[in-house]
């Protein structure tokens, strides 16, 4: 039992059949009916407690169920198949979340993320904003890049962010009904500089109509805060562009300092205006690279930059290739062929971290072949250094790689590989991907694989798992998500620990089964 309690399940895919097998074996080891178990016995399950089915937990005595649910709030992962029933159990046990006290939300807070609609519909209370803010602050930042679903460990915070935005801005959230009707008919708090700075990334929830109410003084004072938001809609960007022009004049008159302040608001400028912006510094491009640029916008920014620095593509050094970041995706066929060999060789690892459209990735791959030779001769170190450029290999080039090279593919490159090219790999090559890369295979890629190839991916993960069952869970109204880790470990680091721990887990499985 002690060995089971110490089991590290992070090496198992969320849908692995080994998870319920281990849990049921541990319950059998306790040797008692669920209704007779004590809190100490249930908590002795360790991480296996997080695998308990809600139907099993409902059999526990009330005081034991209460301590079990509170322990669940600290779980790193809860199986997707349990989310809906578990939230229903929370409702049956503690009532509607809108009626929960501040102490209940503090102790069970992460479990609120089981249901977006419940978070959004929480009724206003004087302490709610502070309590939810504390909950948000207690959660780790989402890992970058996003982990594969089979090893996901971060919460979906969108509903929580929206609720905090609503509590900060809506008059219906901050005033009693009777007083609100007497003072304000309905609406939102004014877009003041202090409010915009308080909201930070949550400014993305303003509607275009609301953003249009900002005056020139407000946007000038809060422009850097607004520029840090990464995921504005096209409609929001149109309004913000107009506001920027109202405050600072036409695009042709902007200086580079103002462009830096605008940050991601610069995405609102059209394809004619973007090349005229004063892009002449790599620092400016580095700042703007974190924004969500479209491919036509990348091309426009690249055109403006290369014209202002008065250099040909062949004259760009390694520092400049690295500094371009995602804007290197703006190069055309002729330009990628002109990249300086020595500069490309030196900068290739950073260039390989960028995710370009497939057509551009194929061009960068062609340059890599010209510099490093044919893919069949690439070493494991070379494959790893090329990163996402590897996704540009052709239908014949992928199978030509040595078997030992597949586990050295960058995990971020795997989802970028066209499904038909991944399907061209043999079962032995798919198995050679290793657990980190096999976990990154997308549903679209999985769909075109044959039965034997799917089995090979399972072997690469180290355990068989049912991808179809997981996809069914994904199609529910509340997509499965996992509770936050207690630490901010990176996704790849977590998977790496999982790979290391797999042999020990298999020994445990053999011991208990």
């Amino acid at each position: 039992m002690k060995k089971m309690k110490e089991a590290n399940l992070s090496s198992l895919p969320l849908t692995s059949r080994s998870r319920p097998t281990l849990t049921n074996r541990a319950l059998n080891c306790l040797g008692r009916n669920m209704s007779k178990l004590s809190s100490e016995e249930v908590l002795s399950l360790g991480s296996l407690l997080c695998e308990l089915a809600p139907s099993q937990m409902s059999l526990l005595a009330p005081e034991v169920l209460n301590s079990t649910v509170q322990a669940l709030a600290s779980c790193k992962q809860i199986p997707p198949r349990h989310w809906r029933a578990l939230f229903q159990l929370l409702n049956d046990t503690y009532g509607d979340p809108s009626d929960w006290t501040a102490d209940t939300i503090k102790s069970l807070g992460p479990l609120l993320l089981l249901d977006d609609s419940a978070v959004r519909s929480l009724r206003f209370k004087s302490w709610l904003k502070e309590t939810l803010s504390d909950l948000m602050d207690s959660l780790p930042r989402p890992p970058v890049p996003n982990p594969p679903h089979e090893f996901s460990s971060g919460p979906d915070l969108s509903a929580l962010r929206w609720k905090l935005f609503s509590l900060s801005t809506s008059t219906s959230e901050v005033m009693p009904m009777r007083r609100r009707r007497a003072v304000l008919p309905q609406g939102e708090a004014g877009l003041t500089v202090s409010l915009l700075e308080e909201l930070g990334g949550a400014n993305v929830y303003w509607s275009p109509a609301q953003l249009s109410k900002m005056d020139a003084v407000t946007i000038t004072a809060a422009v850097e805060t607004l520029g840090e938001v990464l995921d504005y809609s096209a409609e929001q960007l149109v309004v913000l562009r107009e506001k920027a022009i109202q405050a600072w004049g036409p695009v042709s008159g902007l200086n580079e300092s103002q462009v830096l302040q605008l940050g991601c608001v610069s995405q609102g400028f059209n394809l004619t205006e973007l090349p005229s912006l004063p892009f002449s510094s790599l620092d400016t491009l580095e700042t703007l690279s974190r924004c969500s640029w479209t491919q036509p916008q990348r091309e426009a920014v690249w055109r403006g930059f290369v014209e202002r620095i008065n250099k040909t593509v062949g004259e760009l050094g390694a520092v400049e290739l690295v500094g371009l970041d995602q804007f290197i995706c703006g190069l055309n066929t002729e330009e990628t062929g002109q990249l300086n060999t020595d500069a490309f060789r030196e900068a290739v690892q950073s260039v390989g971290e960028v995710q370009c459209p497939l057509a551009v990735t194929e061009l960068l791959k062609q340059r890599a072949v010209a510099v490093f030779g044919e893919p069949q001769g690439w070493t494991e170190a070379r494959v790893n250094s090329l990163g996402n450029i590897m996704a540009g290999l052709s239908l014949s080039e992928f199978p030509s790689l040595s078997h030992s090279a597949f586990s050295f593919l960058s995990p971020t490159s795997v989802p970028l590989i066209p499904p038909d090219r991944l399907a061209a790999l043999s079962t032995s090559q798919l198995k050679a991907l290793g657990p980190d890369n096999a976990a990154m295979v997308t549903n679209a890629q999985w769909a075109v694989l044959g039965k034997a190839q799917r089995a090979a991916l399972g072997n690469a993960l180290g355990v068989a798992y049912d991808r179809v069952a997981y996809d069914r869970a994904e199609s529910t109204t509340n997509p499965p998500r996992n509770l936050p880790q207690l630490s901010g470990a990176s996704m790849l680091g977590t998977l790496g620990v999982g790979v290391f721990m797999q042999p020990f887990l298999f020994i445990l499985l053999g011991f208990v089964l």
Side-chain angles (χ1 to χ4, degrees), residues 215-227 240-263 265-266 269 277:
D215 56 33
V217 174
T218 300
I219 192 168
T220 300
V223 65
E224 290 189 57
T225 298
L226 294 171
L240 291 171
R241 168 194 171 275
E242 293 174 354
K243 291 296 176 182
I245 292 175
Q246 288 175 14
W248 286 338
V251 176
S252 59
L254 296 178
N255 58 47
E256 195 157 14
S257 174
Q258 289 171 320
V259 173
L260 277 170
Q261 292 179 67
L262 284 169
V265 172
S266 300
F269 295 119
L277 290 175

Side-chain angles (χ1 to χ4, degrees), residues 324-461:
L324 283 173
D325 203 275
Q326 65 166 297
F327 298 110
I328 200 170
C329 301
L331 275 67
N332 60 32
T333 304
E334 182 180 354
E335 290 168 333
T336 53
Q338 295 172 355
L339 290 171
N340 180 276
T341 297
D342 292 336
F344 185 81
R345 185 188 301 274
E346 186 177 345
V348 71
Q349 187 158 356
S350 294
V351 174
E353 293 174 357
V354 178
Q355 294 189 9
C356 295
L358 179 61
V360 180
T361 303
E362 290 174 333
L363 294 176
L364 292 172
K365 182 269 302 182
Q366 291 175 14
R367 191 62 188 146
V369 170
V371 173
F372 303 115
E374 295 298 324
Q376 63 262 32
W378 290 350
T379 64
E380 292 89 344
R382 176 62 59 211
V383 166
N384 186 257
S385 69
L386 288 171
N388 295 328
I389 296 175
M390 293 296 297
L393 292 181
S394 69
L395 200 62
S396 60
E397 289 171 330
F398 259 115
S400 74
L401 293 173
S402 66
H403 278 56
S404 61
F406 283 96
S407 63
F408 286 86
L409 287 170
S410 167
T412 58
S413 72
V414 175
L416 306 178
I417 301 171
D420 63 327
R421 300 182 194 181
L422 190 71
L425 299 181
S426 67
T427 54
S428 59
Q429 288 172 321
L430 288 170
K431 185 177 180 180
L433 284 171
D436 288 11
N437 289 330
M440 296 298 287
V441 171
T442 67
N443 291 340
Q445 293 169 327
W446 173 270
V448 301
L449 298 179
K451 184 176 181 180
Q453 290 175 308
R454 294 178 180 183
L457 276 182
N459 289 332
L461 278 168

Side-chain angles (χ1 to χ4, degrees), residues 107-177:
S107 61
L108 304 181
L111 297 179
L112 268 177
L113 303 179
L114 289 165
D115 192 305
D116 285 353
S117 62
V119 176
R120 290 174 178 268
S121 61
L122 289 172
R123 288 191 290 272
F124 172 76
K125 295 189 176 66
S126 59
W127 45 262
L128 184 59
K129 180 181 175 182
E130 180 180 358
T131 302
L132 293 183
S133 295
D134 290 342
L135 172 60
M136 177 70 82
D137 292 341
S138 71
L139 302 175
R141 293 180 178 274
V144 177
N146 291 328
H149 283 154
E150 288 295 340
F151 295 93
S152 180
S153 58
D156 183 347
L157 303 180
S158 57
L160 184 55
R161 289 195 183 101
W162 180 91
K163 187 62 183 180
L164 285 169
F165 171 83
S166 179
L167 289 168
S168 299
T169 62
S170 175
T171 58
S172 62
E173 297 279 14
V174 299
M175 299 181 69
M177 180 64 71

Side-chain angles (χ1 to χ4, degrees), residues 179-251:
R179 185 181 172 195
R180 185 170 75 249
R181 287 175 176 169
V183 179
L184 293 171
Q186 191 169 0
E188 67 282 340
L191 277 74
T192 63
V193 174
S194 59
L195 178 57
L196 293 173
E197 291 177 346
E198 175 190 340
L199 290 171
N203 282 301
V204 73
Y205 295 113
W206 292 111
S207 70
Q210 291 169 323
L211 290 172
S212 68
K213 297 177 183 179
M214 272 193 301
D215 56 33
V217 174
T218 300
I219 192 168
T220 300
V223 65
E224 290 189 57
T225 298
L226 294 171
E228 292 175 355
V229 178
L230 306 181
D231 45 1
Y232 287 121
S233 69
E235 293 77 12
Q236 289 171 313
L237 287 170
V238 168
V239 174
L240 291 171
R241 168 194 171 275
E242 293 174 354
K243 291 296 176 182
I245 292 175
Q246 288 175 14
W248 286 338
V251 176

Side-chain angles (χ1 to χ4, degrees), residues 8-15 19 46-52 71-80 82-83 86 111 114 147-155 470 481-486 494-495:
N8 180 3
L9 302 186
S10 64
S11 60
L12 290 174
L14 289 173
T15 54
R19 286 176 174 266
S47 60
L48 294 175
L49 178 148
C50 305
E51 303 291 317
L52 288 177
L72 280 173
S74 299
C75 285
K76 297 178 181 179
Q77 296 176 325
I78 291 179
H82 293 165
W83 281 88
L86 180 54
L111 297 179
L114 289 165
H149 283 154
E150 288 295 340
F151 295 93
S152 180
S153 58
Y470 191 83
R481 298 178 298 277
N482 301 302
L483 295 183
Q485 293 188 40
L486 297 181
T494 301
L495 294 184

